[in-house]
Amino acid sequence: MIPAADAPTLELRDASLALGGRELWSDLDLQLRAGAFLAVLGPNGAGKSSLIRAILGEVRLRAGSIRILGAARSVGTDVGYIPQQRLFDRGVGLRARDLVGFGLDGHRLGLPVPTRERRGRIDEALARTGAESFADAPMGSLSGGEQQRVRIAQALISRPRLLLCDEPLLSLDPGHQVAVTEAIDDYRRETGAAVVFVTHDVNPILDRIDQVLYLGPRGHRLGVPRDVLTTDVLSDLYDVHVDVLDVHGRIIVVAGTGDGDHLVLPAHSESTEHPASPVGRQGTA
Amino acid sequence: MTVDLSQLFEFSDYGALVALLGNSIIAGAVLGIVGGVVGYFVMARDLAFAVHGISELSFAGASAALLIGANVLVGSMVGSILAALLIGVLGVRARDRNSIIGVLMPFGLGLGILFLALYPGRASNKFGLLTGQIVAVDSPELGSLIAVSVVVLIAVAILWRPLLFASVDEEVARARGLPVGALSIGFMLILGLATAVSIHLVGALLVLSLLVTPAAAALRVASAPLAVTGLSVLFAVISSVGGIMLALGSSIPISPYVTTISFAIYLACRIIGSRRSRSTSSVGTAPSVQSPAHSSDLHSVR
């Protein structure tokens, strides 16, 4: 379970990313050791999902490097990925256990051979996320929260050393939010996997994370939550005055817009406070 | 009905006819298997409209071959592979794909009609490419139909897992490093071949009855991939072989029989499926509470 040759699980050096001619973030240095839990925060369009796609090797950095377990390219099953939720329709010919099976051997050629061991591993992964009761249900018949539990099982079954989660709690009710968060965190504690967790609301995972990466309109900041989620740091990143409030242990970020109105910003919620965002749609098709 | 019945169903000397057209029945069974298997992926990839587009280009290729005296099966394969590649390369996104198909389809149909109008031979040959025919499939032609079908089935068997993964769960498949784009083009080639051979039985206009209807019916009553595929094959073979057996005793083209049987199966599966889902539906699928990520809750403190 300890990464070979003591290489960091994930390492970014001087990494910069531009999409469609617009720079999303630059000079990003990041090291995740085994067992690290990193939350990635920031407004829409700051490049949170693009960071995950860059780690997956789907978009190229403008500069810098990304290494996973010391290697320049990710090694298939060593990386688990939970995408932003896109619900399965009714009428897709797929059960929950089939989707989880893809996580195990979907990259291999041929038909799946139904061995007892394969079935056992799929059942175990489903049980880990509390999804065993709908293992044989069609994916399209499950609720959003149930589908998300199946997705976590799919990502965990190959025993990845690095887990990339893109807004895994989005539009889940509180019960499912807790279940999904616990399944991911338990897996991290058990196996020493490192977790990158993109979210617009840090509160559900606040007492589990050890680092926060805040991608703002004017640069980024990396550190422990109490150093990053402060009035000074976020005011700096947004270039407007921002208040960070602690309400019964939950963090609320509020920006004064100057006309007496207030906007609630990430760490707590999404906002439209981002003048640069429409630019990204232009450029080469 | 009584007036037309003798024309629809005429079973004197039926045994002799079956013996004579045994090859057609074998061809029907093989095409049923291909249609059933490929149909599952057509549904998973949402390509029903593409099947229609490919079949019209395939029809154009076949009628061009008929006109110049070339092999009709080769002509239909050239047409459908060309169409499949065009749709696959230019139509990566669903919206682009549908507009490309919408453009290609009338063009292919028009070309085909042009070639047929120029063709001086028998009219039944012409009609058959559009609406299907029981050719007294001679052995060499049967051989090539089966050969192409076997190629299709082997290709699907080899690509099964990555193709299904990429079809239903593209983002995660790509993250896992699967060549999602290459798999998509590969499946379009498979679909092109499957369409080309199916045209020889049911005709260009009604290929959907073998490549879509059986799989759509199976999806109503099953959800495990192998169960869906197995049922889809069963339905397609019943439709094609049943259609041939009924058409043997009539002067009507084969396709109305095939399409009617597959439609009846679909209806039955819909009824069974909706009964079943009503009786077993949603244990613990309470509607999820919307997260406050959306506008009106922006100011609330959670």
Side-chain angles (χ1 to χ4, degrees):
Chain A
M1 292 303 153
I2 310 294
D6 206 29
T9 308
L10 174 68
E11 185 173 30
L12 277 77
R13 269 195 209 152
D14 296 327
S16 304
L17 184 72
L19 282 185
R22 183 168 71 96
E23 182 138 279
L24 292 175
W25 32 261
S26 56
D27 303 320
L28 182 56
D29 279 293
L30 172 68
Q31 262 204 9
L32 289 192
R33 294 268 159 199
F37 197 146
L38 171 76
V40 180
L41 302 172
N44 287 347
K48 305 190 296 288
S49 296
S50 301
L51 172 63
I52 285 195
R53 293 181 59 211
I55 297 170
L56 288 168
E58 291 175 14
V59 292
R60 288 177 65 114
L61 293 178
R62 191 177 58 71
S65 67
I66 297 179
R67 300 177 84 81
I68 296 170
L69 298 164
R73 272 194 61 85
S74 68
V75 219
T77 52
D78 276 339
V79 179
Y81 172 52
I82 298 159
Q84 252 183 45
Q85 196 172 49
R86 190 177 53 81
L87 291 179
F88 283 85
D89 294 332
R90 278 180 179 277
V92 173
L94 207 70
R95 297 163 301 173
R97 65 167 61 256
D98 299 314
L99 193 78
V100 176
F102 287 142
L104 190 61
D105 55 17
H107 55 291
R108 301 243 171 87
L109 294 177
L111 285 106
V113 184
T115 61
R116 185 167 302 192
E117 191 218 337
R118 185 175 191 272
R119 196 181 166 82
R121 285 191 66 178
I122 292 174
D123 285 338
E124 185 201 328
L126 285 162
R128 190 183 266 285
T129 60
E132 68 272 37
S133 62
F134 38 87
D136 292 305
M139 275 308 282
S141 72
L142 301 180
S143 74
E146 290 167 338
Q147 291 196 18
Q148 196 65 343
R149 290 185 186 211
V150 176
R151 282 238 167 262
I152 313 288
Q154 180 195 33
L156 298 186
I157 193 171
S158 64
R159 308 223 134 230
R161 311 267 279 279
L162 175 63
L163 197 55
L164 306 173
C165 316
D166 197 352
E167 298 275 13
L169 305 181
L170 202 61
S171 64
L172 298 189
D173 62 64
H176 283 302
Q177 281 195 6
V178 170
V180 162
T181 308
E182 274 180 357
I184 291 172
D185 201 34
D186 289 350
Y187 175 79
R188 175 185 70 90
R189 287 168 201 272
E190 257 171 57
T191 64
V195 176
V196 176
F197 197 107
V198 169
T199 181
H200 66 272
D201 182 7
V202 73
N203 287 312
I205 53 171
L206 194 55
D207 41 5
R208 301 178 190 271
I209 55 177
D210 39 42
Q211 282 190 92
V212 170
L213 171 64
Y214 203 107
L215 299 173
R218 297 172 57 87
H220 63 265
R221 198 66 60 93
L222 176 70
V224 295
R226 69 171 176 280
D227 288 349
V228 174
L229 300 175
T230 65
T231 296
D232 286 348
V233 169
L234 294 196
S235 296
D236 208 27
L237 289 179
Y238 280 101
D239 204 23
V240 288
H241 181 76
V242 169
D243 287 309
V244 178
L245 313 172
D246 186 324
V247 181
H248 306 302
R250 325 212 89 200
I251 289 180
I252 314 288
V253 181
V254 183
T257 53
D259 54 5
D261 201 3
H262 285 81
L263 272 175
V264 181
L265 291 176
H268 172 69
S269 194
E270 294 170 38
S271 85
T272 50
E273 178 79 358
H274 191 218
S277 57
V279 184
R281 292 208 162 256
Q282 294 166 1
T284 51
Chain B
M1 276 307 276
T2 47
V3 183
D4 290 325
L5 207 58
S6 66
Q7 204 189 349
L8 279 171
F9 304 104
E10 163 66 75
F11 293 120
S12 54
D13 301 324
Y14 192 73
L17 269 173
V18 168
L20 197 64
L21 296 176
N23 278 353
S24 272
I25 292 169
I26 295 171
V30 170
L31 296 183
I33 295 170
V34 168
V37 170
V38 174
Y40 173 51
F41 288 92
V42 169
M43 297 307 288
R45 302 183 69 85
D46 198 13
L47 285 176
F49 193 41
V51 173
H52 206 15
I54 291 170
S55 73
E56 308 306 358
L57 261 278
S58 188
F59 162 67
S63 43
L66 198 62
L67 179 63
I68 63 173
N71 184 318
V72 177
L73 180 59
V74 171
S76 62
M77 274 166 44
V78 169
S80 62
I81 286 180
L82 218 60
L85 286 180
L86 272 174
I87 295 169
V89 172
L90 300 177
V92 175
R93 279 177 300 177
R95 184 186 292 270
D96 294 346
R97 188 165 66 229
N98 283 344
S99 61
I100 285 162
I101 295 164
V103 168
L104 278 181
M105 205 163 64
F107 175 64
L109 199 53
L111 267 188
I113 289 169
L114 171 67
F115 295 143
L116 285 190
L118 296 175
Y119 175 63
R122 278 175 52 230
S124 71
N125 283 358
K126 305 179 179 183
F127 205 45
L129 284 175
L130 274 177
T131 59
Q133 60 194 337
I134 313 174
V135 273
V137 188
D138 53 46
S139 292
E141 195 181 342
L142 180 68
S144 34
L145 277 185
I146 291 179
V148 174
S149 302
V150 167
V151 167
V152 166
L153 291 175
I154 289 176
V156 171
I158 291 174
L159 293 180
W160 183 276
R161 261 181 294 186
L163 183 59
L164 192 57
F165 193 2
S167 299
V168 298
D169 197 11
E170 186 180 327
E171 273 177 86
V172 179
R174 185 180 287 122
R176 182 56 75 80
L178 288 188
V180 171
L183 282 167
S184 169
I185 298 295
F187 180 71
M188 290 311 284
L189 287 176
I190 290 172
L191 182 58
L193 292 178
T195 308
V197 290
S198 301
I199 277 181
H200 291 266
L201 191 72
V202 287
L205 293 179
L206 305 166
V207 161
L208 293 176
S209 66
L210 280 187
L211 277 168
V212 171
T213 317
L219 283 170
R220 287 276 154 185
V221 292
S223 52
L226 289 178
V228 173
T229 311
L231 281 177
S232 168
V233 165
L234 181 70
F235 297 159
V237 169
I238 290 174
S239 306
S240 61
V241 172
I244 290 172
M245 305 288 261
L246 290 177
L248 281 184
S250 83
S251 56
I252 289 175
I254 174 179
S255 47
Y257 298 99
V258 176
T259 52
T260 305
I261 296 173
S262 66
F263 184 66
I265 292 172
Y266 177 77
L267 276 187
C269 286
R270 259 202 98 102
I271 292 166
I272 294 168
S274 64
R275 285 230 176 114
R276 194 184 295 171
S277 72
R278 213 174 304 143
S279 60
T280 64
S281 82
S282 49
V283 183
T285 51
S288 66
V289 178
Q290 195 52 256
S291 103
H294 302 280
S295 55
S296 64
D297 259 348
L298 214 62
H299 298 253
S300 76
V301 174
R302 278 176 286 164

